[in-house]
DNA sequence: CGCGACACGTGAATC
DNA sequence: TGATTCACGTGTCGC
């Protein structure tokens, strides 16, 4: 769990809090499970989520464990062509790029992980300690602010990376993210600044984002790195490490509103809130307290005081949290699906999405017109439908770019990348044999294959990745392992190899 | 401006409140102008809005009257390909469908109008009365809750329709919109229920949404229809009609937070807050007061009391308001750009956008392939545009539709597939050497490579595709061509080949 | 009356 | 140090 905080929302209903958290340490198994559940949930949620909304509606199973089958369900249905595969991103979970076809993480949380801005680039992975239940714990630690994406920074990419590892299964999501990463980064720290807020961390349990932010920042900044690098500690840490937390706690807010609460989780914990129905308040609370231990908290909860105002608030509070999370998840999803993200800012994400959307439309127009006119000379000035194309410079080349200019290179979204775009490759070694790769370049025929070959030749097994090939070629490998026994690969080796393959992919 | 409420945000800076409002009645001319201005503003805002953000930055003109030229500007710029033309939506403004290329309404308000849910379907247009300045007035009327999109309903489609006529120029945007309309709806009332909250109403001045909601609901419900149908009155009405407003006002909230304020606008008015720099507090305030007249308000501002806490808050407060508004605007914009909105829910909008985006990608692929194949047989069964594949019901025709319901299976997200899942492969030949492949299966190590290899072995060159690898492996090849001279591949060949590779990917 | 949805204000963090 | 951004909790409204 390192960075990635997955937050699961109960399968059937409530597992909100991060299941992933549970097994932080040991890694694999549980986490995965958690992830799946999350995914599962997601699906369900998606299906069901908006109610009549679009997302498929199928609630069914979900509940408890059956994540898997849920999934299968989808698959079946899936035949589902339509979907390109989005990355589902769950605000809570850090894995950003998930590509879920389903949109709605909301009810059932999903995973996601958004790249964070990477304040603390140095820290490779931030596992999340908190277990699901424990999750609360974590939250507490981090604190109230659990919210969605914030800047957090530090964990940013890490989160992404980490998560994936954790939940290889889910990994799928990451897909589209590429673009982002390309910019700089989604995968890793690559892009220092770009991704600001959204990053994955989002929420572990509840609000990974802030959580991450703070946690990361504080911890990282303050103390840290050492301890956290590999392990989960980060998250736990807060809990465990009183000091840092304290700082956080002090702020904890609670004081302000004062009361509220009622429920447990209240501030510190947050984690649960997502859980929705099944509130694990208790557990979480307990943990929280730990975390809360800091001064202020007491003021707040006092214990769990609920005496406060009326009873109702608590419920609403949870609901609101869920809502927020859902919204964030969607936002992340959108983000993951949009190639060129530019800023991680919420508004920017939205804006980028809009722009991208426009580009696509434009492109469609162009194609359409072309199609019509095609055969013959067509191209003329006529501009069939509307002036589509003339303008569309964007369509092809720089679609959205516009904005970008300045940041010209950084993100170049796959789309944007004119094919000519020189390849950009970022490689980051995770601990063990893990490798994160972010590659972005102009799309040229054969590049996909050549890249895959290159990776294969490098002895890397891609476990989690999202690759998109449109205008440009973008690949974000969230998790890959070196199966080739031999020596450890050096990032540069990988990089050059990939660049080479990109350079001469046509020759494939 | 009948329905469409354009909200202009000062050109240079602040014209926040709705210019459009001004000329309600007479219809055409002024309205248009208003619209234009709105548009104009929007552009500017867009351009400038996010600062470094993407949106083009160009403030220039905007200001006063020049709506037209602005537009032309756009066009020129337009050559500007980039933009597809979005409909800009401003949370504050009600006009939904404007198609502005620019994304960022925030700073400079823009216009928009979102289709509302149409609570009051019967009412065709809701013009906004309030003029810019007056806008405040309006706001006041509606009330504090000016927020973003709320349900409002009634105006929904109407707004859209109206607008278009007004700004033919912008019409371009519509282009893409089609999809929407096809969906059911965006244009007219067609879809009765779908659009709920976002509707255009949004806000005139500050928080259109709620405003609208309440205003609309109350008014509509309570009284209304008759008067409003064609004309602008609706909007004005609130202002004019005290009664309705009052109801609204009562709720106004303000009381809760109580203080804050400092600034003028405080609650009731809100309008200004968006304005940012130039706060027209005064004007707005004045108006507000009118609106505020309801009981509670007084409690709140009391006047403008600012005594409260510290100094800082106020500023931040305003900033936050702006931010919120901006975000809402973007959201609306997104909404306006996405044809099939289904629910007006924020989350739904996001989700729909995501889905729509996917569709577009798919469509592009289709077109692309078609295009390539075109000359020749093109027509085939392929169903040119859309439905390429069987699965993609959505893609073509009903793109979004899916959403809906039925499509249980339809979406199956890639993610979902548990690894165990048997591979599913769908292959469709496009004309020419084009091939569409949809593959979905459990994720197992090496599957990516093996699949790539299989494709390579098949002599297929992937040109457009999205591949995700997480829990499951999902690959959607939108466009691939057979470069292997030889014979034409048979879909089944491809399919079996891929299935084999998936089956034994580990052997890779 | 609960539940969902929003907006608001606020504290905090980052730039 | 100011400006933004975010998340949170809360009040409110509509179903």
């Amino acid at each position: 769990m390192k960075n990635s905080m997955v937050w699961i929302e109960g399968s059937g209903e409530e597992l909100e809090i991060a299941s992933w958290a549970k097994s932080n340490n040991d890694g694999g198994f549980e986490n995965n499970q958690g992830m799946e559940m999350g995914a599962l949930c997601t699906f369900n949620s998606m299906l069901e989520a908006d109610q009549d909304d679009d997302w498929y509606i199928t609630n069914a199973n979900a509940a408890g464990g059956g994540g898997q089958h849920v999934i299968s369900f989808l698959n079946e249905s899936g035949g589902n062509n339509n979907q390109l595969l989005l990355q589902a991103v769950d605000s809570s979970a850090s894995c950003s790029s998930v590509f879920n076809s389903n949109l709605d993480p909301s009810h059932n949380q999903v995973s996601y992980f958004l790249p964070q801005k990477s304040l603390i680039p140095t820290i490779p992975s931030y596992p999340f300690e908190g277990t699901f239940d424990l999750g609360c714990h974590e939250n507490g630690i981090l604190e109230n602010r659990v919210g969605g994406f914030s800047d957090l920074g530090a964990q940013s990419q890490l989160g992404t990376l980490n998560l994936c590892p954790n939940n290889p299964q889910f990994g799928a999501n990451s897909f589209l993210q590429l673009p982002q990463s390309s910019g700089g980064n989604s995968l890793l720290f690559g892009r220092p600044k770009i991704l600001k807020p959204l990053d994955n961390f989002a929420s572990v349990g509840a609000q990974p984002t802030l959580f991450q932010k703070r946690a990361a920042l504080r911890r990282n900044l303050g103390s840290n790195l050492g301890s956290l690098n590999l392990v989960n500690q980060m998250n736990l840490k807060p809990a465990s490490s009183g000091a840092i937390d304290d700082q956080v706690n002090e702020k904890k807010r609670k004081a302000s509103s004062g009361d509220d609460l009622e429920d447990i989780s209240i501030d510190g914990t947050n984690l649960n809130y997502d859980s929705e129905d099944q509130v694990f308040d208790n557990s979480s609370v307990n943990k929280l307290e730990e975390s809360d231990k800091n001064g202020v908290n007491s003021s707040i909860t006092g214990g769990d005081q609920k005496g406060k105002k009326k009873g109702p608030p608590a419920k609403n509070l949870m609901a609101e949290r869920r809502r927020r999370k859902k919204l964030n998840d969607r936002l992340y999803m959108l983000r993951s699906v949009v190639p060129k993200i530019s800023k991680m800012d919420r508004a920017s994400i939205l804006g980028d999405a809009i722009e991208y959307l426009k580009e696509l439309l434009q492109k469609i127009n162009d194609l359409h017109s072309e199609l019509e006119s095609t055969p013959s000379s067509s191209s003329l000035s006529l501009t069939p439908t509307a002036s589509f194309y003339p303008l569309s410079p964007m369509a092809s080349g720089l679609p959205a770019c516009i904005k970008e200019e300045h940041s010209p290179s950084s993100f170049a979204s796959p789309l944007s990348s004119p094919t000519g775009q020189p390849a950009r490759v970022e490689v980051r070694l995770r601990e063990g044999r893990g490798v994160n790769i972010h590659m972005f370049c102009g799309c040229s025929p054969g590049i996909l294959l050549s890249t895959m070959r290159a990776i294969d030749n490098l002895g890397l097994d891609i476990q989690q990745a999202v690759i998109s090939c449109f205008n440009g070629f973008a690949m974000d490998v969230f998790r890959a392992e070196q199966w080739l026994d031999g020596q450890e690969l050096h990032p540069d080796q990988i990089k050059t190899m990939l660049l080479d393959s990109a350079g001469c992919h046509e020759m494939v």
Side-chain angles (χ1 to χ4, degrees), chain A:
Chain A
M1 300 297 188
K2 314 284 180 94
N3 283 342
S4 56
M5 313 191 70
V6 174
W7 152 297
I8 297 174
E9 199 154 53
S11 43
E13 281 295 1
E14 309 315 354
L15 294 188
E16 298 244 344
I17 305 301
S19 54
W20 61 274
K22 289 186 177 181
S23 59
N24 335 350
N25 306 338
D26 51 45
F29 188 61
E30 276 216 69
N31 294 342
N32 292 341
Q33 201 170 13
M35 290 301 285
E36 292 182 352
M37 290 185 63
L40 180 48
C41 295
T42 302
F43 283 101
N44 288 342
S45 63
M46 295 195 156
L47 296 179
E48 178 181 12
D50 278 2
Q51 294 139 340
D52 37 356
D53 205 345
D54 319 344
W55 323 103
Y56 315 83
I57 298 171
T58 32
N59 340 349
N61 55 23
Q68 283 284 351
H69 93 280
V70 169
I71 292 172
S72 55
F73 163 55
L74 288 177
N75 293 342
E76 292 182 357
S77 63
N80 62 59
N81 320 322
N82 319 332
Q83 304 311 351
L84 286 183
L85 301 179
L86 291 184
Q87 313 167 276
V89 174
D90 181 90
S91 57
S92 56
S94 54
C95 293
S96 51
S97 318
V98 178
F99 280 73
N100 290 328
S101 300
N102 294 324
L103 296 181
D104 197 353
S106 60
H107 270 111
N108 305 318
Q109 301 314 12
V110 179
S111 58
Y112 9 76
F113 62 44
L114 302 180
Q116 289 257 1
K117 90 169 49 165
S118 83
L119 289 181
I120 309 166
T122 61
I123 300 168
S125 55
Y126 268 67
F128 260 4
E129 249 322 28
T131 59
F132 185 127
D133 313 324
L134 298 184
C136 298
H137 180 44
E138 294 177 355
N139 286 342
I141 294 167
L142 284 189
E143 90 278 13
N144 319 335
R145 234 164 209 226
V146 195
F149 22 171
S150 350
D151 321 359
L152 279 226
Q155 303 193 342
S156 36
Q157 299 81 0
L158 300 179
T160 309
L161 296 177
N162 290 339
L163 284 186
C164 294
N166 292 340
N167 315 329
Q169 298 178 340
F170 275 111
N173 303 337
S174 32
F175 229 148
L176 291 182
Q177 269 196 328
L178 310 184
Q180 305 177 359
S181 50
S182 63
N185 36 62
S186 29
L187 286 188
L188 310 189
F189 318 106
R191 85 175 56 160
K193 169 181 184 183
I194 300 177
L195 300 180
K196 284 180 186 170
L198 296 185
D199 309 357
N200 18 352
F201 269 63
S203 41
V204 173
Q207 298 91 342
T209 305
L210 279 186
F211 171 118
Q212 294 175 349
K213 281 184 179 179
R214 295 186 182 180
L217 293 179
R218 301 225 160 141
R219 298 168 191 171
N220 294 338
L221 295 178
S223 44
N224 62 65
L225 298 181
S227 63
L228 29 104
N229 283 340
L230 299 181
V231 193
N232 306 326
Q233 293 90 340
M234 286 304 269
N235 291 327
L236 291 182
K237 186 199 275 187
S240 61
S241 67
I244 295 167
D245 294 346
D246 294 353
Q247 295 178 345
V248 173
N249 292 341
E250 63 186 22
K251 120 184 5 184
K252 280 216 168 184
R253 121 162 184 243
K254 283 18 194 53
S256 66
S257 55
D259 17 13
D260 46 43
L261 326 262
E262 194 129 259
D263 247 316
I264 342 154
S265 36
I266 297 181
D267 323 321
T269 324
N270 297 347
L271 295 181
N272 293 338
Y273 67 74
D274 283 349
S275 323
E276 289 204 340
D277 302 349
Q278 309 172 348
V279 177
F280 294 62
D281 303 339
N282 303 335
S283 63
S284 60
V285 170
N286 297 339
K287 300 221 168 168
L288 284 180
E289 290 183 356
E290 288 183 3
S291 62
D292 288 354
K293 50 187 169 259
N294 299 335
V296 177
N297 298 341
S298 62
S299 66
I300 302 167
T301 55
D304 281 47
Q305 77 245 51
K306 53 184 48 180
K308 277 335 186 32
K309 306 182 174 180
K310 9 173 154 184
K315 256 191 163 178
N316 206 359
L317 189 156
M318 293 297 273
E320 178 62 10
R321 283 176 177 167
R322 285 209 317 264
R323 188 181 87 91
R324 264 197 293 258
K325 181 179 183 186
K326 174 177 175 182
L327 222 131
N328 276 346
D329 290 350
R330 287 266 174 95
L331 200 64
Y332 297 152
M333 237 154 81
L334 184 63
R335 168 169 163 284
S336 64
V337 120
V338 173
K340 54 178 181 174
I341 286 301
S342 74
K343 293 172 60 180
M344 288 310 272
D345 200 328
R346 268 185 150 101
S348 298
I349 292 176
L350 246 40
D352 289 342
I354 294 172
E355 208 169 312
Y356 180 58
L357 217 145
K358 290 187 200 170
E359 287 178 21
L360 290 181
L361 285 177
Q362 173 96 6
K363 192 159 202 167
I364 290 177
N365 270 337
D366 293 349
L367 288 175
H368 235 69
S369 50
E370 233 183 277
L371 203 64
E372 293 182 357
S373 59
T374 32
S376 55
S377 59
S378 68
S379 60
L380 303 180
S381 61
L382 296 180
T383 74
T385 46
S387 52
F388 316 87
Y389 39 65
L391 3 141
S392 54
M394 76 195 287
S396 57
L398 359 153
C401 30
I402 330 166
K403 47 168 53 278
E404 322 219 351
E405 51 276 36
H406 33 349
S407 58
S409 49
S410 63
F411 272 35
S413 71
L415 298 178
S416 59
S417 67
T419 57
Q421 186 81 344
R424 287 168 154 282
V425 177
E426 294 182 20
V427 177
R428 189 165 198 94
L429 295 182
R430 304 297 293 178
E431 63 261 34
R433 354 193 254 322
V435 180
N436 281 136
I437 302 171
H438 176 70
M439 178 173 173
F440 186 62
C441 66
C443 192
S444 40
I447 188 163
L448 180 55
L449 180 58
S450 62
T451 302
M452 290 299 108
R453 282 175 189 265
I455 289 174
D456 183 42
N457 290 336
L458 287 164
L460 293 173
D461 172 40
I462 293 176
Q463 298 177 347
Q464 297 180 339
V466 175
I467 303 168
S468 70
C469 194
F470 276 91
N471 282 339
F473 172 81
M475 175 176 74
D476 270 313
V477 175
F478 302 104
R479 178 163 188 71
E481 285 193 3
Q482 301 176 40
W483 49 268
L484 211 54
D485 38 352
Q487 74 313 3
E488 278 243 338
L489 280 171
H490 189 279
D492 287 343
Q493 279 182 273
I494 297 173
K495 184 171 180 176
T496 55
M497 192 96 169
L498 290 173
L499 285 172
D500 280 353
S501 73
C504 10
H505 55 266
E506 51 278 327
M507 78 184 189
V508 174

